[in-house]
Amino acid sequence: MKRIICVLSLTLAVGQLANAQKKFSISGTVSGNAPARYYLQYNNGTKYVTDSAEVKNGRFSFAGMLLQPAPGVVSATLIRNMTGNKKEQAYLFLEPAAMTINIDNGDLSTIVMKGSVSNDENVQLEKEKEAATARYQPLLEALRNEKDHDKAAAIREQLAPYFNTNSQLSRKFIREHHNSFLSVYLMRFEIGSMTLDSARYYYNSLSTALQKSKDGLDIAKEIKSLEQGSPGSVAFNFSKKDINDQPLSLSDFKGKYVLVDFWASWCVPCRAGNPHLLELYKQYKDKGFEVISVSDDDRNHDAWKKAVEKDGIGVWKHVLRGLDMNKRMKNEPNPEDISEHFGIHSLPTQILIDPKGVIIARYGGGGEEHEALDAKLKEVFNN
């Protein structure tokens, strides 16, 4: 009986220790222009949490549980104003530990956090990115303030070198820190521009614990989706109502080479590439070539239809992707979303499918350069 009690006691102690290791606490101090409250938002592993803490005599505190699998680290946002035009916020990384925060004059840009290794790593990485940020600051400010989709897209084009520099620094960190939560966090943003081989390489380099974390499992799903939209896979047979409200299925085009073109009315490079795609369509359509454009304009049908008319591309087929923002915000699967079945993360991306329904090429996000499409079409139609 004593032995049984000892075993039960040991089991209980281990369980209590595991729970204790998942607890986090933040002791905060703020000087000067302090708000009445600070707000903390994060996903604890089972739900999205919004917590608040009253500031008394320049001090505030937060505490909670991180129910994530190992290593139990989560990204979080500390917010000064939940309402109003100016929503000041700072991005942090919470660990199952006792952490401290210090803020000067209530200004979140001065925040110093201690007790979180992941946060320390992110601060150092952001310092490495500061030179590029300073150089492109005017464009970044313009992008934040621009409400027009077309103008914002044009600004993003000018910011391409900036995004590329940041991406290179992020990938360097991932390569050099296989056991860091920041690596798996950064990969969530990088995977959209990775080829399938690169995605597999970076994912396989992560520690087993990171692969089994919530973010790691999400990345594994993204890689599976990218596999479904890469050469060698049978293309997902989607069915939609087209721009003329007529039924359309990918299987209707068996026996032809089909280019599934993922684009949007607000995508500047997509629109810029339409004249050349129109030339290719006219050149090969009588030889068994078809184009189906899948638009990301689910929330603006008028802009979609106007862009098709203005660019003169109504000669081929057009459907909407089937985006559901409610499901996306809740991270729920959406079988009606064509883009999810092909691993689409950036526009434009084009998928070339052979007469048997097998993907033979991918151009753009996660694939070859778009210019390679010309040579591929010349190869398949001149042989």
Side-chain angles (χ1 to χ4, degrees):
M1 179 62 73
K2 290 182 180 179
R3 184 177 182 181
I4 294 174
I5 292 174
C6 289
V7 171
L8 290 175
S9 299
L10 178 60
T11 303
L12 180 60
V14 171
Q16 289 174 337
L17 177 61
N19 286 333
Q21 289 174 339
K22 292 182 180 179
K23 290 180 179 178
F24 78 87
S25 64
I26 299 175
S27 297
T29 58
V30 54
S31 63
N33 184 28
R37 306 188 77 84
Y38 279 111
Y39 300 85
L40 187 69
Q41 293 183 330
Y42 60 97
N43 189 323
N44 73 353
T46 59
K47 63 181 180 179
Y48 196 76
V49 177
T50 297
D51 198 0
S52 67
E54 184 179 2
V55 179
K56 290 184 178 180
N57 300 319
R59 295 183 178 277
F60 63 94
S61 63
F62 291 98
M65 293 286 291
L66 302 179
L67 305 178
Q68 302 271 6
V73 185
V74 301
S75 58
T77 307
L78 184 68
I79 303 171
R80 177 187 173 102
N81 299 316
M82 286 294 287
T83 59
N85 295 327
K86 192 174 183 181
K87 185 178 179 181
E88 299 176 24
Q89 55 191 27
Y91 299 101
L92 309 168
F93 289 90
L94 306 181
E95 296 190 356
M99 296 164 285
T100 63
I101 284 177
N102 183 67
I103 304 169
D104 290 336
N105 200 34
D107 182 359
L108 285 179
S109 67
T110 69
I111 191 169
V112 175
M113 184 178 198
K114 294 183 179 181
S116 169
V117 174
S118 299
N119 201 74
D120 292 343
E121 291 173 334
N122 187 55
V123 169
Q124 180 59 40
L125 180 60
E126 289 302 314
K127 286 182 179 179
E128 294 178 21
K129 295 178 178 180
E130 280 180 359
T133 301
R135 180 181 176 186
Y136 288 94
Q137 193 62 46
L139 282 174
L140 289 168
E141 289 295 330
L143 181 61
R144 291 189 188 100
N145 297 324
E146 185 56 66
K147 304 301 181 184
D148 183 271
H149 283 303
D150 293 338
K151 292 180 180 179
I155 295 173
R156 288 192 191 94
E157 282 296 293
Q158 297 177 66
L159 283 168
Y162 164 75
F163 294 134
N164 184 53
T165 297
N166 283 353
S167 178
Q168 290 176 356
L169 289 170
S170 293
R171 295 191 188 194
K172 179 175 180 291
F173 183 92
I174 298 171
R175 290 195 302 271
E176 297 176 353
H177 300 81
H178 300 165
N179 295 307
S180 170
F181 171 79
L182 185 58
S183 291
V184 73
Y185 174 83
L186 292 170
M187 192 170 172
R188 290 292 305 272
F189 297 93
E190 289 297 313
I191 194 170
S193 59
M194 287 180 174
T195 63
L196 179 58
D197 287 343
S198 290
R200 286 170 172 164
Y201 166 78
Y202 281 97
Y203 177 75
N204 290 334
S205 71
L206 297 174
S207 68
T208 301
L210 289 177
Q211 290 180 4
K212 292 181 178 180
S213 69
K214 181 180 184 302
D215 290 272
L217 295 174
D218 286 342
I219 290 171
K221 291 179 182 178
E222 296 288 351
I223 292 175
K224 183 177 180 180
S225 180
L226 185 56
E227 289 174 344
Q228 294 173 343
S230 296
S233 296
V234 175
F236 170 70
N237 179 31
F238 56 86
S239 297
K240 294 280 183 179
K241 288 289 186 68
D242 69 11
I243 198 168
N244 298 312
D245 204 34
Q246 297 299 310
L248 179 148
S249 293
L250 180 60
S251 60
D252 296 338
F253 301 92
K254 281 284 184 72
K256 291 187 175 185
Y257 283 91
V258 179
L259 185 74
V260 183
D261 171 46
F262 293 88
W263 76 300
S265 65
W266 43 263
C267 171
V268 172
C270 301
R271 302 289 296 276
N274 277 338
H276 182 61
L277 185 55
L278 190 57
E279 291 178 6
L280 292 176
Y281 180 71
K282 291 178 179 177
Q283 182 178 354
Y284 294 111
K285 67 183 180 69
D286 292 334
K287 295 184 178 182
F289 179 57
E290 187 57 74
V291 176
I292 302 175
S293 284
V294 180
S295 173
D296 213 72
D297 286 295
D298 291 83
R299 290 172 290 175
N300 195 337
H301 293 198
D302 288 340
W304 171 44
K305 294 178 179 179
K306 287 178 181 177
V308 170
E309 182 179 1
K310 184 176 182 180
D311 292 2
I313 55 176
V315 291
W316 61 67
K317 307 299 182 181
H318 293 268
V319 296
L320 291 167
R321 65 175 281 188
L323 177 65
D324 186 326
M325 286 305 298
N326 289 329
K327 289 185 177 180
R328 166 155 288 208
M329 292 297 291
K330 296 177 182 178
N331 199 28
E332 296 178 355
N334 178 13
E336 297 300 315
D337 189 336
I338 300 175
S339 294
E340 288 190 5
H341 292 282
F342 289 90
I344 305 301
H345 295 283
S346 61
L347 304 176
T349 297
Q350 297 169 326
I351 308 290
L352 184 61
I353 302 167
D354 74 6
K356 295 181 180 179
V358 176
I359 297 172
I360 58 173
R362 182 185 181 103
Y363 306 99
E368 301 177 71
E369 296 297 323
H370 288 281
E371 292 74 13
L373 173 62
D374 293 49
K376 188 66 174 181
L377 292 178
K378 184 176 181 180
E379 173 193 331
V380 299
F381 287 113
N382 289 340
N383 286 342

